[in-house]
């Protein structure tokens, strides 16, 4: 495969398709500036920038990104910043604000902030607020400096003019890169990474290799590589297929490509749904949202995935396609068969998600309960779609994550609420019914009793908010500067 690393074209010959970008950088490329902390996408020490052709750079976690995902793209590591020995403005700001002590986490912070710096310049921003900086570094942990000086450096970095143009500001001109997308981008003869450019090619590859693992953002699959040390014989990326990354309206149906990264979805949610926008802000970190997709969130079958309850509350359908090209739409409610078991069979893929305009326009609320605000998996997620007219509830959808082996609807509580007059007594009764209906388990994240109580609390909050006519504040989230985060 070919890609551009810090402005220079790289050709990778025979190579195990299960190699991560981080291992390549620190090993073959001998660029040790990028660190390994957790190897699971949680700490940000491995943050590098990745840009598809013609796209702006985005911060990603190199530790969980298969090297093949960088095929035909540009990658920048911290080594790219110090052209002519001068510090990059981000580095200078961290020095000026005392933003580093032991320094292990620092390259990751520098790269996360560099993505924000480069994209702020692209958008002509003069000033960055605290929220935008916090968003940009939401996937970075520092155990010794403390975040105040780092955030301060982020808010001041745009005021520092670059001493010399850095490689990130001067992208390399791309030489013609490998184009035969039916050939593996990487292979050692036993493990191959494919990056088809169309759904027709994807279907052909799935017909040849029905047991292949699909890769979208690799924010789940990457952990299979680094934590479970799984070796996949064939990995097939869906990340370079334009038809799977669309966001489009067809009549009164919204179609979202299964491989559209969350960051791209986030940039469109302001007009779509403020509750979804708020929720997405709490899904993983900026690095995770730059890579992760709804398709991966559904296909991994996790009971604690954030998007399935939202899509259940909206009565969404998903499109499953097989290797012969046959397409079928299924209600998401029929897709979960058991713990981490879905309707999607080997040799099939999810192409699109469909939501009706009517569902999007119904009042809705999504609440995530987790220990940390950012970059934390839900203990419980409540997603509610409720019609209320003249004090009476119409259609009701109550969906939850984290309370069963799969994302679920609480149909008994829905039945109790549908057609009833909203009152304090009804809310109390609905919460009791819900607690009897859900049977959450206890695990390392939360006890069964806590999950039940939290699920009921999210429902109570939704009913109280909607009953009182409280509108969610329609503000940009994080305030201002969004353009630079979502480019
Ligand atoms: C640090 C960290 C924080 C996280 N935080 C959250 C969080 O807050 N909330 C949350 O819900 N999740 C979270 N996750 C999990 C993960 O980011 C999401 O589940 C994400 O949506 C997965 O999407 P992906 O594109 O990265 O999937 P991948 O990892 O590429 O794939 C996941 C699975 O889906 C399959 N797959 C992918 N695309 C398709 C497709 N189109 N058709 C069929 N199968 C497909 C793959 O084969 C694989 O089995 C987090 C993960 C990490 C590492
Ligand atoms: S090493 Fe921790 S996120 Fe990659
Ligand atoms: S500077 Fe030491 S962990 Fe961040």
């Amino acid at each position: 495969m070919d890609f551009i690393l810090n402005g220079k074209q790289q050709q990778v010959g025979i190579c195990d398709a299960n190699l991560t970008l981080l291992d390549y950088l620190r090993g073959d490329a001998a660029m040790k500036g990028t660190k390994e902390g957790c190897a699971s996408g949680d700490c940000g020490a491995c943050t590098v920038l990745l840009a598809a052709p013609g796209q702006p750079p985005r911060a990603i976690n190199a530790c969980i990104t298969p090297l093949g995902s960088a095929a035909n793209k540009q990658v920048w590591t911290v080594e790219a910043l110090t052209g002519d020995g001068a510090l990059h403005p981000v580095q200078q700001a961290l020095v000026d604000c005392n933003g580093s002590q032991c320094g292990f986490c620092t390259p990751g912070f520098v790269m996360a902030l560099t993505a924000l710096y480069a994209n702020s310049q692209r958008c002509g921003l003069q000033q960055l607020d605290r929220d935008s900086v916090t968003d940009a570094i939401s996937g970075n942990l520092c155990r010794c400096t403390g975040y105040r000086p780092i955030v301060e450096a982020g808010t001041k970095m745009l005021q520092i003019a670059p001493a010399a143009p850095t490689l990130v500001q001067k992208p390399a001109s791309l030489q013609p890169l490998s184009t035969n997308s039916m050939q593996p981008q990487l292979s050692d003869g036993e493990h191959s990474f494919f990056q088809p450019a169309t759904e027709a090619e994807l279907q052909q590859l799935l017909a040849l290799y029905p047991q292949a693992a699909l890769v979208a953002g690799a924010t789940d699959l990457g952990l299979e590589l680094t934590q479970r040390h799984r070796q996949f014989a064939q990995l097939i990326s869906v990340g370079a297929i334009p038809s799977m990354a669309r966001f489009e309206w067809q009549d009164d149906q919204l179609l979202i490509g299964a491989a559209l990264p969350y960051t791209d979805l986030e940039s469109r949610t302001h007009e779509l749904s403020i509750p979804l926008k708020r929720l997405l802000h709490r899904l993983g970190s900026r690095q995770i949202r730059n890579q992760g997709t709804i398709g991966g969130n559904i296909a991994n079958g996790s009971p604690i995935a954030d998007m399935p309850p939202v899509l259940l509350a909206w009565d969404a359908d998903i499109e499953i396609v097989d290797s012969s090209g046959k397409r079928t739409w299924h209600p998401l409610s029929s897709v979960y068969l058991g713990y981490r078991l879905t309707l999607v069979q080997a040799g099939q893929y999810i192409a699109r998600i469909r939501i009706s305009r009517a569902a999007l326009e119904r009042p809705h609320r999504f609440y995530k309960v987790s220990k940390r605000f950012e970059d934390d998996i839900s203990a419980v997620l409540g997603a509610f779609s409720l019609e209320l007219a003249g004090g009476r509830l119409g259609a009701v959808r109550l969906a939850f994550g984290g309370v069963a082996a799969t994302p679920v609807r609480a149909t008994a509580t829905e039945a109790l609420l549908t057609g009833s007059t909203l009152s304090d007594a009804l809310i109390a009764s609905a919460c009791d019914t819900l607690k009897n209906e859900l049977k959450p388990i206890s695990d390392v994240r939360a006890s069964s009793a806590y999950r039940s109580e939290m699920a009921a609390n999210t429902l109570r909050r939704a009913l109280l908010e909607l009953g009182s006519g409280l509108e969610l504040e329609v503000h940009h989230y994080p305030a201002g500067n969004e353009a630079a985060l979502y480019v």
Side-chain angles (χ1 to χ4, degrees):
M1 75 175 228
D2 298 285
F3 73 111
I4 310 263
L5 174 58
N6 294 344
K8 295 204 182 88
Q9 188 147 343
Q10 305 280 311
Q11 239 183 5
V12 185
I14 296 168
C15 178
D16 178 354
N18 296 284
L19 189 72
T20 63
L21 177 58
L22 180 65
D23 284 345
Y24 176 84
L25 293 173
R26 290 183 56 82
D28 302 50
M31 293 200 174
K32 311 270 183 181
T34 311
K35 305 297 181 211
E36 180 176 71
C38 62
S40 56
D42 279 307
C43 76
C46 64
T47 303
V48 299
L49 306 192
L50 183 72
Q55 299 292 312
R58 285 181 171 177
I60 62 150
N61 297 122
C63 66
I64 50 171
T65 301
L67 174 60
S69 295
N72 301 336
K73 295 183 181 156
Q74 296 213 52
V75 175
W76 293 274
T77 66
V78 72
E79 285 87 353
L81 298 191
T82 38
D84 302 336
L87 291 184
H88 185 279
V90 172
Q91 294 169 313
Q92 190 61 54
L94 281 164
V95 171
D96 294 348
C97 298
N98 302 312
S100 173
Q101 287 186 43
C102 81
F104 188 81
C105 68
T106 305
F109 275 98
V110 166
M111 294 314 283
L113 288 172
T114 299
L116 182 60
Y117 185 93
N119 294 329
S120 300
Q121 287 212 318
R122 189 184 305 272
C123 301
L125 297 178
Q126 310 287 329
Q127 191 79 32
L128 280 167
D129 61 22
R130 206 188 142 78
D131 284 349
S132 307
V133 173
T134 309
D135 182 287
I137 58 171
S138 56
N140 296 78
L141 296 180
C142 175
R143 291 298 185 214
C144 64
T145 300
Y147 297 98
R148 192 201 52 75
I150 299 173
V151 174
E152 191 187 340
T155 57
K156 292 194 171 156
M157 64 191 182
L158 284 187
Q159 274 77 64
I160 302 174
T166 66
L167 288 169
V168 184
Q169 284 148 326
K170 252 193 349 186
S173 52
L174 295 166
Q175 301 301 315
L177 299 174
S178 44
T179 48
N180 186 348
S181 37
M182 287 298 287
Q183 292 297 318
Q185 295 289 343
L186 288 177
S187 184
D188 61 2
E190 286 178 30
H191 311 97
S192 305
F193 187 100
F194 295 89
Q195 196 178 59
T198 63
E199 284 189 66
E201 287 180 356
L202 171 62
Q203 290 153 18
Q204 284 176 48
L205 286 167
L206 284 173
L208 283 172
Y209 309 111
Q211 299 303 325
L214 293 174
V215 194
T219 60
D220 281 318
L221 186 119
L223 274 70
E224 298 287 320
L225 302 175
T226 63
Q227 307 302 305
R228 299 207 175 134
H229 304 291
R230 276 186 69 184
Q231 291 280 297
F232 294 96
Q234 292 93 25
L235 288 167
I236 304 179
S237 166
V238 295
I241 302 176
S243 63
M244 289 180 67
R246 291 206 187 111
F247 178 96
E248 59 189 352
W249 283 96
Q250 266 180 18
D251 303 322
D252 271 348
Q253 305 289 332
L254 175 65
L255 298 172
I256 303 174
L260 183 75
Y262 290 118
T263 294
D264 296 286
L265 183 60
E266 244 177 313
S267 66
R268 286 148 166 128
T269 45
H270 195 69
E271 58 277 15
L272 195 67
S273 160
I274 296 299
L276 179 60
K277 190 177 179 73
R278 287 177 167 238
L279 176 64
L280 286 177
H281 184 63
R282 297 199 47 208
L283 193 155
S285 61
R286 178 56 55 204
Q287 286 92 326
I288 293 295
R289 296 196 292 279
N290 282 343
Q291 300 264 82
T293 64
I294 306 189
N297 208 223
I298 297 171
N300 75 28
S302 165
I304 45 167
D306 283 343
M307 288 305 294
V310 169
L311 298 173
L312 285 174
W314 274 338
D315 284 331
D317 301 316
I318 68 162
E319 185 183 38
I320 299 181
V321 186
D322 69 18
S323 57
S324 71
K326 186 166 160 244
R327 295 173 179 271
T328 41
W329 285 99
H330 302 263
L332 184 66
S333 51
S334 69
V335 166
Y336 290 97
L337 306 177
Y339 179 69
R340 290 199 171 270
L341 194 62
T342 72
L343 208 59
V344 187
Q345 304 292 312
Q348 299 183 332
Y349 66 95
I350 303 170
R352 293 179 292 178
I353 292 97
R354 182 171 71 188
I355 311 166
S356 73
R357 190 187 296 276
L360 288 165
E361 287 178 351
R362 272 197 295 274
H364 53 268
R365 290 290 190 273
F366 311 132
Y367 304 117
K368 171 167 175 163
V369 181
S370 60
K371 289 201 180 72
R372 288 192 308 160
F373 189 77
E374 267 139 356
D375 209 0
D376 200 4
I377 299 285
S378 299
V380 171
L381 192 137
F384 312 106
S385 166
L386 303 155
E387 271 175 348
L388 187 64
R392 230 183 155 79
L393 287 157
V396 175
R397 294 282 181 277
L398 314 176
F400 293 90
V403 295
T406 65
V408 286
R409 289 235 325 256
T411 48
T413 316
E414 285 178 4
L416 174 85
L417 289 170
T418 306
S420 301
T421 303
L422 192 60
S423 66
D424 288 349
L426 181 72
I427 293 176
S429 158
C431 290
D432 287 343
T433 308
L434 185 69
K435 283 197 237 173
N436 285 328
E437 184 175 11
L438 302 178
K439 302 271 177 262
I441 57 159
S442 295
D443 67 11
V444 59
R445 214 160 263 118
S447 68
S448 165
Y450 176 79
R451 288 180 201 267
S452 280
E453 206 57 48
M454 287 301 120
N457 284 352
T458 58
L459 174 60
R460 183 177 295 113
R461 181 172 171 189
L463 291 169
L464 286 172
E465 276 188 13
L466 289 166
S468 67
L470 180 82
E471 292 285 333
L472 283 188
E473 217 182 311
V474 182
H475 68 308
H476 287 266
Y477 200 79
N481 309 148
E482 289 189 320
L485 294 168
Y486 301 155
V487 284

